[in-house]
Amino acid sequence: MKRNLSVLLSLVVLASILLAACGGGAATEAPAATEAPAVEAPAATEAPVAAEPKSATGAWSQEPDNIVPYYTQMSYAIWIAQLTLVGLAEWDDQGSFVPELAAEIPSAANGGVSADGLTITWKLKEGLKWSDGEALTSADVKFTFDQVMDPANAPLSRTGYDKIASVETPDDLTVVITFSELYPGWQTLFTQGPNNAGSILPAHILAGKTALESDPFIHQPTVASGPFVITDWVAGDHMVLVRNDNFYGSRPILDTVNIKFVPTPETALAALQTGDVDWYPDFSESDIETVNALEPAVHLKVVPGADFEHYFFNLGTTAGVDGKGAADQDGFCPFKDVNVRKAITLGINRQAFVDSLLAGKTTVPVSQWPNSEWENKSLTPATYDPDGAAALLEEAGYALGDDGIRHGDCNGEDTKLSFTFDTTDKQLRVDIALAVQSDLAKIGVEFKPNHSPAGTFFAGYTDGGIMPTGNYDMAGYTTGFYPDPMPGAIDSFSCDTVPNAEKPAGANNYLICDPKLDELMAAGNATADPATRKVAIDELQKYIYDNYYVVMMYARANVYGYVDRFVPGSFGFFSNMNWNAEVWDVK
């Protein structure tokens, strides 16, 4: 998130800043006396008053677990990373891929992309520094790769990085990345955005360390390459970020960015109305009319996106498949049956809560690529059909019991269709889960919601997270497969990305291992030609759709609210509001 804004200050502006900081120019010799008539000396004046420091305050309804994006899957954490730890490039508000720490985007024309597409050469900007004054060089890029691939560390994902054969640094400004096979999504590596976690990390701070997932720096970085650096963090209360004067681009306008941790979006809305905060980045579609009614004191910004809210099944198996994809524990037995998964999907009236709880401001998506060029338009969302759902459950052998809950034989054991559902404690998720609970009860399924704080819910494997360790039946949250269509899918569905005790790295929270999925995803990554990839990705979508591996709940938009005194930069489909925080201002 942040980009083609590497505009240097003019020498005139720089000189004026230095003079102001020093209180005036250097002393000079007094001029010689002249015969001109004497004049009265001007009255003494006070020294000019320094400009009032500028600050803005945002409300965060989720407190980050970690900040370094290789070790967190929480959006709120990645947003802080956008402000503090940037990458080689990013996506701007127009969806264009633009340089950040890099001097230019590699291409065939500038020699940055080899003819076979296997070698990518990045050139860094000259004079880059970390916020502590240490040089930021190609060595930091190589270190970033090394720490991701070090088996002594447990990043959430190595997708894409595991296709790199070597990273060479012939000089401080040059990084030569050679892939072992074609990887069309190379732009998502070493680059930062709301959905591609590729911050460059400081070798001078972290070199020689292992088990980085537990290192204090991962939770609270002490140096920054972005426009701001964290200086204070009081858990449960607030975070303070101050301007990084070594930022590569134009000098950030704000001196300080404050983050207040609030319990709910409703609390954030009240704080906007009273002026206690300047912006909130995560309203729901159901809040659009409420926020819009506050104009002109509070402004509304809605940006369509490719994110989606989804429910999914724990499909983990301790046996794995052909020696791959073994989870720590088996998922809920009935979910192994596609008819059970289909029945649950048909038994949820998704359109009803889109119309009511979300005020009809979004849609029920058909696949994991909503609102994008990759969406398979030949598919249509399954409609609400409780009778059809009940028939499927009967066919699968689950009959209604005296208590109104279906049960039947699953792997030789009498099993009730009664299971837990885990998600965060965001009020909208609470409300929707209650609606789902009511819907599923009508078909004899007991759906038991369990709501946790975001930091607990999104915890990684090494922190005992419920999803990677398989301690859940169903779960739900928002994600998205962009800016490239494949890395997110590979992270989520590959046999190789199922985490377990022996290999805790991996972001396959579904814990699914299906060799056919691996085959289809490989086809989507086998070529860089968009038309050929579209055919392959369409087939992948249809396979996930036909197998009811996830329940697509609703397509997300980015809904922001901010007070009139706050002047954000431009917002984008791939970049959200944080990509250009250096231009944020206040009136």
Side-chain angles (χ1 to χ4, degrees):
M1 312 161 177
K2 299 98 226 191
R3 346 329 214 219
N4 200 13
L5 300 174
S6 52
V7 181
L8 296 176
L9 292 170
S10 70
L11 292 176
V12 173
V13 172
L14 180 59
S16 67
I17 293 172
L18 292 173
L19 287 172
C22 297
T28 59
E29 184 178 352
T34 67
E35 298 300 321
V39 295
E40 185 178 351
T45 60
E46 294 184 5
V49 178
E52 187 75 19
K54 291 186 174 184
S55 68
T57 300
W60 248 234
S61 57
Q62 293 180 17
E63 184 168 1
D65 49 356
N66 292 317
I67 299 300
V68 174
Y70 301 103
Y71 300 93
T72 179
Q73 57 186 333
M74 188 191 299
S75 294
Y76 282 79
I78 303 301
W79 296 340
I80 296 291
Q82 284 187 282
L83 304 180
T84 57
L85 292 169
V86 298
L88 297 177
E90 62 188 348
W91 280 261
D92 67 10
D93 57 308
Q94 301 302 309
S96 299
F97 191 48
V98 295
E100 194 161 19
L101 298 175
E104 60 184 357
I105 299 298
S107 67
N110 63 26
V113 179
S114 63
D116 61 6
L118 295 178
T119 301
I120 309 296
T121 301
W122 288 92
K123 293 287 188 179
L124 300 183
K125 291 179 169 70
E126 294 185 5
L128 293 174
K129 292 182 179 180
W130 293 98
S131 59
D132 62 0
E134 290 288 328
L136 194 165
T137 71
S138 59
D140 294 299
V141 182
K142 178 170 173 45
F143 168 76
T144 298
F145 168 72
D146 291 341
Q147 68 84 28
V148 169
M149 296 307 300
D150 188 341
N153 298 325
L156 290 179
S157 172
R158 294 188 172 102
T159 297
Y161 296 97
D162 59 358
K163 305 301 182 187
I164 294 175
S166 66
V167 175
E168 299 174 350
T169 55
D171 58 59
D172 285 351
L173 300 180
T174 306
V175 182
V176 181
I177 301 170
T178 302
F179 288 85
S180 57
E181 61 187 71
L182 187 69
Y183 189 70
W186 63 266
Q187 291 179 328
T188 64
L189 307 178
F190 305 102
T191 59
Q192 180 67 316
N195 211 49
N196 55 295
S199 298
I200 303 304
L201 300 182
H204 72 285
I205 299 290
L206 296 173
K209 296 184 177 184
T210 55
L212 288 184
E213 65 277 2
S214 301
D215 192 90
F217 183 93
I218 302 304
H219 175 69
Q220 183 174 337
T222 53
V223 300
S225 55
F228 299 97
V229 58
I230 300 170
T231 59
D232 186 38
W233 184 349
V234 177
D237 190 70
H238 72 273
M239 178 188 291
V240 178
L241 304 94
V242 301
R243 183 183 62 241
N244 173 16
D245 287 327
N246 285 327
F247 180 55
Y248 72 86
S250 56
R251 184 176 185 267
I253 295 172
L254 294 179
D255 297 277
T256 306
V257 171
N258 302 295
I259 303 295
K260 284 188 177 181
F261 301 126
V262 299
T264 65
E266 292 74 24
T267 309
L269 179 61
L272 278 173
Q273 291 177 275
T274 59
D276 289 335
V277 301
D278 296 305
W279 87 92
Y280 178 67
D282 193 27
F283 284 113
S284 298
E285 290 76 3
S286 57
D287 298 316
I288 289 174
E289 292 181 2
T290 300
V291 178
N292 195 45
L294 301 177
E295 290 280 2
V298 176
H299 302 309
L300 170 72
K301 183 72 174 182
V302 181
V303 181
D307 287 319
F308 54 87
E309 181 85 355
H310 69 321
Y311 284 9
F312 53 89
F313 310 93
N314 179 348
L315 297 173
T317 169
T318 57
V321 180
D322 299 329
K324 301 173 67 176
D328 284 344
Q329 53 190 298
D330 292 322
F332 186 54
C333 180
F335 292 161
K336 303 300 191 294
D337 187 335
V338 64
N339 281 334
V340 173
R341 301 194 299 268
K342 181 177 181 179
I344 288 171
T345 304
L346 298 182
I348 300 174
N349 193 347
R350 295 174 289 170
Q351 189 61 52
F353 61 69
V354 163
D355 292 339
S356 57
L357 297 176
L358 294 166
K361 299 297 184 181
T362 184
T363 59
V364 175
V366 69
S367 81
Q368 292 72 48
W369 288 268
N371 299 324
S372 81
E373 60 184 317
W374 301 102
E375 184 176 8
N376 186 337
K377 303 291 187 181
S378 70
L379 305 176
T380 56
T383 56
Y384 178 53
D385 182 6
D387 292 336
L392 284 168
L393 294 177
E394 290 285 346
E395 181 182 342
Y398 293 94
L400 277 174
D402 293 339
D403 57 1
I405 302 172
R406 293 182 180 273
H407 66 98
D409 179 83
C410 194
N411 286 350
E413 294 185 8
D414 187 55
T415 305
K416 279 190 175 185
L417 289 184
S418 173
F419 51 84
T420 59
F421 168 77
D422 283 271
T423 189
T424 71
D425 54 6
K426 184 176 181 179
Q427 188 60 48
L428 179 61
R429 289 193 171 122
V430 173
D431 294 340
I432 289 178
L434 288 173
V436 171
Q437 183 180 50
S438 176
D439 284 345
L440 293 182
K442 296 171 186 174
I443 62 170
V445 173
E446 186 177 34
F447 175 90
K448 299 180 290 186
N450 178 41
H451 300 279
S452 305
T456 301
F457 176 72
F458 286 112
Y461 187 96
T462 55
D463 294 319
I466 60 172
M467 290 183 290
T469 59
N471 286 306
Y472 76 99
D473 295 327
M474 281 188 76
Y477 59 87
T478 290
T479 189
F481 296 166
Y482 63 92
D484 185 90
M486 288 310 301
I490 292 170
D491 269 348
S492 298
F493 289 108
S494 294
C495 290
D496 286 340
T497 59
V498 174
N500 56 40
E502 293 184 3
K503 185 178 66 65
N508 184 339
N509 287 327
Y510 315 140
L511 306 177
I512 184 175
C513 179
D514 180 342
K516 179 63 176 179
L517 270 174
D518 282 358
E519 177 186 325
L520 291 170
M521 290 186 292
N525 251 5
T527 175
D529 175 62
T532 306
R533 291 188 89 195
K534 180 68 166 68
V535 172
I537 294 168
D538 276 355
E539 187 177 353
L540 170 63
Q541 290 174 69
K542 187 174 189 307
Y543 186 79
I544 296 171
Y545 173 91
D546 288 342
N547 283 277
Y548 293 88
Y549 277 142
V550 297
V551 184
M552 299 297 293
M553 299 297 281
Y554 58 92
R556 291 296 312 270
N558 297 307
V559 183
Y560 308 92
Y562 59 98
V563 299
D564 187 63
R565 75 177 288 269
F566 181 55
V567 184
S570 51
F571 300 72
F573 184 87
F574 286 158
S575 58
N576 76 28
M577 70 175 289
N578 302 303
W579 74 277
N580 58 354
E582 61 270 24
V583 306
W584 291 356
D585 201 353
V586 289
K587 297 178 182 177

